Amino acid sequence: MTRQRRWLVGLLAVTTLGLPAGLLLGSGGGPSSIEGLASAGEQAVRWTGATAGDTTAPATTTPTSTTVAPPPSTTTSTTTAPTTTSSTTTSTTSTLPPSSEGDRVLMFVAYNDVWWSEYKVMYETLDALGYDVDVRSSAGGSASTYQLGLTLDEWSDHPTSGGTHAGFVDAFEERTGEAWNSTWNDPAPIPIDGLIQDVASLDAYEAFVLVGGTGAIDYLYDGTYEANTSDHGGDPGHVSDAAAVEEAAIAIDELVNDAIERGVPVIAQCHGAALVSYARIDGTTGGPGDLGTSVLEGRSATGYHLGDGDTAARLASLGVTYLPDRSVVVDGPDPALVGGSHAATSRIVTTRDWAPQTVLHGASTLYGIMRTYPADVELAAPRNVLVLHGGAIDPSDCQASNQSNDVPCNWGPADLPADVTHLEALLAADSPADDFDFTVSDLDLTEPGALPFDPDAPGELRAHLDAQSIDVVVYFEHWGHGTTDEIQSDLIGFADDGGGLVAFHHGLYNQGGNIDLLAAAFGAESNLSDWGGSTDPRPGAGPYGFLATGYGHFIATHGIGHESTMIEPPFGDGFPASMPGHPSQSSVVNPNANGLPFVELHEEIYANTTYLGSPDFGSGVGQIDTFLANDAAAFSPDQTLTAGFAKRFDPSGDDTVGRLAYVQPGETRSSYEPTSPLGQMFRNAVAWAADGDA
């Protein structure tokens, strides 16, 4: 069968969950046994067959051992269809119509052995967020599911989940605005809307979801295909034949490539995570079946982590780095493999395990990508950036007592801070992780006589921004001496009319009320009146962990190489598990997965950075959308969630929406290298802010 190809760039996210030795791995998705959970006479496998509404398990004998042997290898090739053929396609009506044209998500499930929670939590999350989920498989009718004798609520309460069902229910409602329905806990057949083989492209879809379960392994694009049947006590007559499985595997391969070309995000779960790694670059050879180079060769992914190491071996055979200690991983193709394109950079998501908490974390990450990533054509568009600053540092006299020098050398002459020259160099550089095209200019606000406008005249800065076709303003003055109220009002009006306004590090340091208007617009500040000091950024004093609490948000995710492990927020040191109106971080953090993705930085943290008034958190217009926290809770708990946030800005209410973004770290010069994760975050913030309505 001919494979039609396109150059692609992808997004991979993976979720991780550590499990005790009592859970052993089969060759598919989900654990294959649960020690001590099956009582005498209780069937160890809860299976749901192909007939909708039929929850009666087929007659099987309860295993005498709690360890179930892995199913037979799926690598044995067979092209002869079994005597039982797949059923014809049956279309079903979606629960919720798309909220607007294009708000659809394509979901693939195996015909047999789909892990229930990986399907149900993902489906209901996307449905609640307003997406029309189009469920496809290799055959029609309905797909069978399993959960090894436990319901979804029992799995979310199980020690292996790292949390509780109550916490999961709270997190689901926080992230979707809808209540979890208890009727969703019981495994059931999955209605299939059509064949995956019939989907020619992702042109009509916002994302592509590959659901896990042991059945997903049959669909690896590796040149060897056999019928998809149930290995978990399912109806032996419910079969998708080998020819249909092969067609589906080829279709998945082509759709992943299409996603890379279009910049459509892909998420692949648990056992299904391997499916995206088996997609191959057009025109290449090698890899399993000599079908070509993996779209993730040289990149990272996660996936099912228990048992005999099948996931690690499979990914190694494709040249993909396996991260078993990450619950969610976002990555994408090496641009060198896809014609130099960054269209799909950080748009492939893989998740590690079946816990409902993990699936929700993965779904939240996918949603973050869908709602915050600018279109790839916007990312490559030329952008005019103006940096407002207070001049380069004077190394001979840069102590805080000399405020004619704008950036103080708080940490001695051996550790001089970054200034405007480093920021400009970063924005003008070529990053290996993006195609951003910034044209950077700057103005020193401490030299009013040299400015091309009167800083005390209302509207003159705004006229200059319009005349120069400025897309984004980066505010980088430290003391705020030259930032008049008129300048601040013009910047706020510029953002209100759809422009981008970004501040880094000391940009929200408010001395003597010098930037009260800007602080109010952003909704945060570090005020001199209650200054409590800052952390030492030098190598001997760190590093600090910066946690991607909003993993999937463009600023905190695009092109950023997070650590191979995860860290749990320092709740014991007073880390705010929640703030009034802010989603609870503890409700989505899986302790067995070691917390959240993070980067380590030797950076300065302001102890007293705080949100003003009663902050309104969320992703709507005017709300504070947090994406970064730090782990310096022992130093100052209240500032941890101020490390990075964004805001869609429309104070006039005229529906012309601008964008504000703030990233708090940014003292050290090494952070302004384009290869630094923080340097990439700065570049991302400018690119994201440029995508407003102006």
Side-chain angles (χ1 to χ4, degrees):
M1 183 174 295
T2 302
R3 299 167 60 231
Q4 298 178 351
R5 289 306 198 158
R6 306 168 180 86
W7 288 113
L8 316 167
V9 183
L11 147 71
L12 166 66
V14 187
T15 36
T16 23
L17 173 66
L19 292 167
L23 284 176
L24 305 179
L25 164 68
S27 66
S32 57
S33 67
I34 312 171
E35 225 171 72
L37 289 178
S39 60
E42 179 185 8
Q43 181 169 309
V45 176
R46 181 178 304 227
W47 178 87
T48 59
T51 303
D54 179 13
T55 57
T56 304
T60 58
T61 303
T62 303
T64 56
S65 170
T66 57
T67 301
V68 179
S73 170
T74 59
T75 58
T76 302
S77 175
T78 173
T79 57
T80 303
T83 54
T84 302
T85 58
S86 58
S87 58
T88 57
T89 304
T90 301
S91 297
T92 59
T93 303
S94 300
T95 306
L96 184 71
S99 56
S100 63
E101 184 177 357
D103 286 347
R104 302 180 71 207
V105 171
L106 179 64
M107 175 181 284
F108 170 77
V109 296
Y111 197 53
N112 284 289
D113 294 349
V114 181
W115 188 268
W116 174 249
S117 65
E118 293 173 35
Y119 158 74
K120 195 60 175 174
V121 175
M122 182 65 67
Y123 181 96
E124 297 301 342
T125 299
L126 294 172
D127 182 75
L129 292 170
Y131 293 93
D132 176 14
V133 184
D134 183 12
V135 181
R136 301 289 184 122
S137 190
S138 58
S142 59
S144 72
T145 65
Y146 73 108
Q147 276 202 155
L148 298 181
L150 296 184
T151 57
L152 189 148
D153 55 320
E154 290 169 333
W155 271 115
S156 57
D157 256 336
H158 195 270
T160 58
S161 76
T164 66
H165 183 63
F168 163 74
V169 168
D170 288 345
F172 180 85
E173 185 166 356
E174 286 173 346
R175 273 145 185 78
T176 67
E178 301 289 339
W180 180 259
N181 190 327
S182 62
T183 63
W184 298 338
N185 294 329
D186 293 318
I190 300 170
I192 296 171
D193 296 326
L195 302 181
I196 192 69
Q197 303 93 297
D198 292 341
V199 181
S201 78
L202 293 172
D203 180 57
Y205 299 97
E206 298 287 317
F208 185 24
V209 178
L210 297 163
V211 180
T214 58
I217 297 301
D218 289 343
Y219 297 87
L220 296 177
Y221 182 64
D222 60 4
T224 59
Y225 309 99
E226 56 184 30
N228 175 245
T229 59
S230 177
D231 294 319
H232 293 285
D235 180 0
H238 185 255
V239 176
S240 179
D241 63 51
V245 169
E246 180 178 10
E247 291 176 355
I250 293 172
I252 291 168
D253 170 72
E254 293 181 346
L255 288 168
V256 170
N257 278 272
D258 189 47
I260 292 172
E261 181 184 10
R262 297 176 184 275
V264 172
V266 179
I267 184 168
Q269 302 171 269
C270 199
H271 283 84
L275 294 175
V276 73
S277 293
Y278 272 76
R280 316 301 178 90
I281 299 292
D282 187 35
T284 62
T285 59
D290 198 28
L291 295 173
T293 301
S294 168
V295 298
L296 288 175
E297 182 178 84
R299 314 301 267 197
S300 299
T302 191
Y304 188 65
H305 60 302
L306 299 182
D308 58 8
D310 280 354
T311 299
R314 289 188 179 106
L315 296 193
S317 72
L318 294 159
V320 180
T321 299
Y322 178 46
L323 301 180
D325 295 323
R326 289 279 301 276
S327 64
V328 179
V329 173
V330 179
D331 211 330
D334 182 343
L337 295 176
V338 288
S341 172
H342 287 89
T345 294
S346 302
R347 296 182 197 233
I348 294 178
V349 182
T350 51
T351 63
R352 194 187 72 170
D353 59 78
W354 62 91
Q357 290 88 337
T358 294
V359 182
L360 181 59
H361 191 186
S364 297
T365 301
L366 176 66
Y367 180 56
I369 293 169
M370 289 193 286
R371 71 178 177 83
T372 67
Y373 273 47
D376 62 292
V377 66
E378 298 295 332
L379 293 177
R383 300 296 190 181
N384 294 322
V385 181
L386 174 63
V387 179
L388 299 180
H389 61 92
I393 66 169
D394 176 6
S396 66
D397 187 12
C398 58
Q399 298 305 306
S401 58
N402 175 26
Q403 293 199 5
S404 63
N405 173 84
D406 191 53
V407 183
C409 305
N410 292 332
W411 309 105
D415 292 283
L416 294 177
D419 63 21
V420 62
T421 64
H422 303 94
L423 175 58
E424 286 190 288
L426 169 67
L427 296 179
D430 290 328
S431 167
D434 67 53
D435 290 326
F436 305 159
D437 183 5
F438 300 141
T439 298
V440 184
S441 58
D442 72 275
L443 292 172
D444 185 346
L445 296 181
T446 64
E447 300 288 343
L451 294 175
F453 58 87
D454 182 351
D456 295 313
E460 290 209 9
L461 169 59
R462 176 60 191 276
H464 174 77
L465 298 178
D466 291 344
Q468 299 299 313
S469 300
I470 298 299
D471 297 296
V472 179
V473 176
V474 179
Y475 181 73
F476 200 63
E477 190 182 5
H478 186 286
W479 301 117
H481 291 312
T483 310
T484 64
D485 285 354
E486 290 76 15
I487 286 176
Q488 294 178 69
S489 294
D490 279 4
L491 291 175
I492 293 168
F494 169 72
D496 185 27
D497 288 340
L501 179 58
V502 176
F504 298 139
H505 193 46
H506 51 251
L508 291 186
Y509 176 71
N510 192 6
Q511 175 179 264
N514 284 346
I515 62 162
D516 276 352
L517 297 180
L518 284 180
F522 278 88
E525 67 176 8
S526 171
N527 198 301
L528 176 63
S529 64
D530 59 356
W531 176 251
S534 59
T535 61
D536 190 333
R538 293 173 292 185
Y544 298 102
F546 288 85
L547 294 75
T549 51
Y551 199 40
H553 193 290
F554 180 79
I555 298 176
T557 310
H558 179 82
I560 296 172
H562 294 83
E563 300 293 328
S564 61
T565 58
M566 304 176 80
I567 58 175
E568 184 177 339
F571 297 116
D573 289 331
F575 181 90
S578 64
M579 297 178 67
H582 190 279
S584 168
Q585 294 305 321
S586 61
S587 65
V588 294
V589 170
N590 185 334
N592 286 350
N594 303 317
L596 293 168
F598 74 104
V599 295
E600 283 190 338
L601 299 170
H602 293 279
E603 264 299 341
E604 182 180 53
I605 297 170
Y606 290 171
N608 70 329
T609 307
T610 186
Y611 291 114
L612 300 176
S614 299
D616 182 15
F617 295 98
S619 59
V621 174
Q623 293 185 305
I624 293 173
D625 192 1
T626 60
F627 54 75
L628 195 68
N630 64 62
D631 67 354
F635 181 71
S636 174
D638 292 341
Q639 56 73 39
T640 53
L641 287 178
T642 65
F645 63 89
K647 180 188 287 189
R648 296 167 62 213
F649 192 65
D650 182 25
S652 65
D654 64 357
D655 294 329
T656 303
V657 181
R659 297 188 173 195
L660 274 56
Y662 175 64
V663 181
Q664 193 281 320
E667 171 78 5
T668 63
R669 294 183 173 186
S670 61
S671 292
Y672 290 79
E673 296 294 329
T675 54
S676 162
L678 187 57
Q680 187 62 50
M681 209 174 296
F682 290 157
R683 290 175 62 87
N684 292 349
V686 173
W688 178 83
D691 198 40
D693 291 345

